[in-house]
Amino acid sequence: MEINKLEDFITQMPEGLDSNSKARYLYLELGKRSYYDRTYEYMMFGEEETFSIYSYKPYSNPNIVICTTLSKQYKELLESAGIKSRLLTDEFGHTFLIYEDQNGIEHMTDLIRDLKNIQFNCSTSHFAKGTINSNDLRQMDLKLGYITTGRGYSNDYWQILRNKLAKANCSIQTKFEITLNSLKEFGDLSKLGESELFYIYEKFVRYCGNNQFKAIFSSSKITGGSEQYRVQLVTNEKKITYLLNRKTYEFEKEKERELEERNEL
């Protein structure tokens, strides 16, 4: 489905949907095409005016956004679909949205925090939480084609690895590296934005590891303005750092990456 402007989401939306299904459809489709702008994380004091453009940024392809941008775009889509909604901002400046269904029931949504889940075909964590139960959401997603009877949510299958790791007779480092190397088996990593890829790794590692190892995820700016994503395995004996390779979408040991980069020069 080709989407070049917000109106395209509406014209290509399936017919016969109730308000919750419309809101869900737009949530998923906008989420597939939107990516968090990491440069906002490093905004310097005094640059607020420069970044204020994000609050009113129109949809584009790719759609690089922050929470305010995305919430306003989602609100515009809901209004076009005939659904009432309102924006809210918490004490930390984070913006999210509440919409009202055909029965007058309000549902809270936070699309920016669900981007990683949507782009990796996981169940969502921030759509109508507490107001629409997971079974009803699953039925909705089946009708919308987000999942099928033959292929459920990506995270439906994570339990398999989690159980195997719990029974495995190997070192903590081996378990950790198996986990890092296994994410690609559950979905297409190339569909995720940079930030979303990093955070789906963190979610996957924490779930599958089930407190068997300590992993610290972090990121920082490096020379040239790009961002370096890393995870550090902490054991009683040592700390081992792994860096995210943007070309392969996988984490590699820091020393191995450095050697490879020198060989490419």
Side-chain angles (χ1 to χ4, degrees), residues 111-122:
L111 182 51
I112 200 81
R113 288 178 170 159
D114 257 333
L115 293 182
K116 64 182 182 297
N117 295 319
I118 294 170
Q119 291 167 23
F120 203 60
N121 232 82
C122 293

Side-chain angles (χ1 to χ4, degrees), residues 179-193:
T179 306
L180 280 181
N181 293 330
S182 296
L183 181 59
K184 61 180 178 291
E185 304 300 329
F186 295 91
D188 186 353
L189 298 177
S190 67
K191 290 184 177 180
L192 288 96

Side-chain angles (χ1 to χ4, degrees), residues 2-225:
E2 186 174 350
I3 299 290
N4 296 310
K5 54 186 183 300
L6 280 182
E7 291 85 348
D8 294 338
F9 288 98
I10 301 299
T11 58
Q12 299 189 47
M13 183 167 57
E15 297 181 357
L17 301 179
D18 62 16
S19 58
N20 283 322
S21 295
K22 288 179 180 178
R24 181 66 171 176
Y25 171 84
L26 295 171
Y27 191 82
L28 295 174
E29 293 302 323
L30 183 58
K32 291 175 184 176
R33 297 165 173 81
S34 303
Y35 311 98
Y36 182 68
D37 192 342
R38 296 292 295 182
T39 60
Y40 190 78
E41 295 288 319
Y42 299 95
M43 182 179 68
M44 302 296 292
F45 179 76
E47 292 183 341
E48 291 86 349
E49 185 175 345
T50 301
F51 281 84
S52 65
I53 189 174
Y54 285 108
S55 297
Y56 308 98
K57 185 179 179 183
Y59 175 84
S60 59
N61 191 2
N63 197 37
I64 311 300
V65 294
I66 61 172
C67 61
T68 308
T69 320
L70 192 58
S71 294
K72 288 184 176 181
Q73 290 176 354
Y74 185 43
K75 179 176 174 58
E76 185 176 338
L77 285 174
L78 290 175
E79 289 177 349
S80 297
I83 300 172
K84 295 180 180 178
S85 63
R86 54 193 172 95
L87 299 173
L88 287 89
T89 302
D90 64 20
E91 58 184 313
F92 303 105
H94 178 68
T95 302
F96 53 99
L97 181 145
I98 289 178
Y99 78 87
E100 183 180 313
D101 68 20
Q102 68 268 15
N103 298 314
I105 299 173
E106 291 191 327
H107 306 277
M108 187 178 297
T109 68
D110 196 344
L111 182 51
I112 200 81
R113 288 178 170 159
D114 257 333
L115 293 182
K116 64 182 182 297
N117 295 319
I118 294 170
Q119 291 167 23
F120 203 60
N121 232 82
C122 293
S123 57
T124 56
S125 303
H126 302 280
F127 180 90
K129 186 176 182 180
T131 51
I132 301 179
N133 67 55
S134 58
N135 288 331
D136 288 342
L137 278 180
R138 186 178 289 269
Q139 291 306 310
M140 203 180 297
D141 290 344
L142 279 168
K143 291 178 180 179
L144 293 174
Y146 181 63
I147 55 174
T148 67
T149 54
R151 179 67 181 178
Y153 300 117
S154 170
N155 53 308
D156 284 345
Y157 309 99
W158 293 3
Q159 184 72 40
I160 299 171
L161 178 61
R162 180 171 171 161
N163 291 340
K164 287 184 177 181
L165 289 174
K167 299 174 183 178
N169 183 22
C170 55
S171 68
I172 293 299
Q173 182 178 344
T174 298
K175 289 185 177 184
F176 178 73
E177 291 180 350
I178 288 173
T179 306
L180 280 181
N181 293 330
S182 296
L183 181 59
K184 61 180 178 291
E185 304 300 329
F186 295 91
D188 186 353
L189 298 177
S190 67
K191 290 184 177 180
L192 288 96
E194 218 171 75
S195 182
E196 291 73 34
L197 177 63
F198 179 64
Y199 287 118
I200 201 67
Y201 261 111
E202 183 175 19
K203 179 176 180 175
F204 180 72
V205 167
R206 299 209 184 287
Y207 176 83
C208 294
N210 196 22
N211 297 316
Q212 293 187 76
F213 41 72
K214 181 180 179 181
I216 301 173
F217 285 78
S218 62
S219 63
S220 62
K221 283 287 185 181
I222 58 176
T223 304

